[in-house]
Structure formats: C-alpha cells, structure tokens
Amino acid sequence: MSGNLVVRMAELEIEPGMLEAYRVLLAEEIEASVALEEGVLSLNAISLRDNPSSIRILEVYANREAYEAHLKTPHFLKYKNETAGMVRSLTLIDVDPIMMRAKS
C-alpha cells in the first residue's frame, strides 16, 4: 500500500428520528466527492445491522493534500452544516491499510 494514502474510519451515531434525512445528505456528499475530486479514491458508508443509527465510513484519499482539499469543498461543507444537528457523536480514527482491493 502506498505510504502517501490517507485512510480514516469515521464512526458516527445519528439521531434515530433523523436517520433517513442524514442518509440522503451522506449519499449526496459521497457521490459528489467521488465524482468531482480526483484525490478522493473511495468513500464507503455502512450501518450496523442491529443499530442502523451507527454509521461507519471508510475514507481513502490519495494523500494529505487531497484530504485537506476535500474538507474545503462546497459539497462537504454543505454536508457538515446540514447534518450538524443530526450527529450525536463523531469519532475519526486514522488507520493503516493492510490490503484493499475492489473490482471496478
């Protein structure tokens, strides 16, 4: 794996009554980020089966600059602003990839 990659795991707890609205905004942000930002290599969101309000996002960026640029994009800022009241907690965890592969 490239030493330049920035890989993070985001662990979120969403207000249950706002979950559907949150999912719409998250999907919109992920679609825009992957389509518009060359340095966003992948964004994958999942929820825990027994607790759908527990969301996990695996984020992969080409490098630190791509990650920093992502944080300043209009679509990310819209997502952060519009979901602020929906997110009960957010934990960002820097991780080291061991092996990541996907079919295109």
Side-chain angles (χ1 to χ4, degrees):
M1 306 279 8
S2 169
N4 293 331
L5 289 178
V6 172
V7 184
R8 301 189 96 185
M9 176 69 68
E11 296 181 340
L12 299 100
E13 292 297 326
I14 307 304
E15 288 291 341
M18 299 179 165
L19 185 56
E20 288 310 311
Y22 174 82
R23 286 177 162 216
V24 168
L25 291 164
L26 176 62
E28 180 182 290
E29 195 280 328
I30 288 175
E31 288 290 339
S33 297
V34 173
L36 301 173
E37 297 178 64
E38 187 174 320
V40 175
L41 302 182
S42 69
L43 294 171
N44 296 283
I46 58 170
S47 64
L48 301 185
R49 185 169 295 146
D50 294 335
N51 184 4
S53 296
S54 291
I55 306 287
R56 304 296 183 263
I57 305 169
L58 181 63
E59 310 173 22
V60 183
Y61 304 92
N63 51 43
R64 177 64 51 189
E65 294 78 21
Y67 173 70
E68 296 296 333
H70 170 70
L71 298 178
K72 298 174 187 169
T73 61
H75 48 271
F76 180 76
L77 294 173
K78 176 187 176 196
Y79 160 80
K80 286 300 282 186
N81 290 329
E82 293 189 18
T83 62
M86 301 175 181
V87 177
R88 284 178 159 173
S89 68
L90 167 63
T91 304
L92 297 174
I93 305 165
D94 290 317
V95 299
D96 291 322
I98 296 171
M99 178 60 67
M100 296 188 305
R101 292 287 179 263
K103 291 186 180 205
S104 57

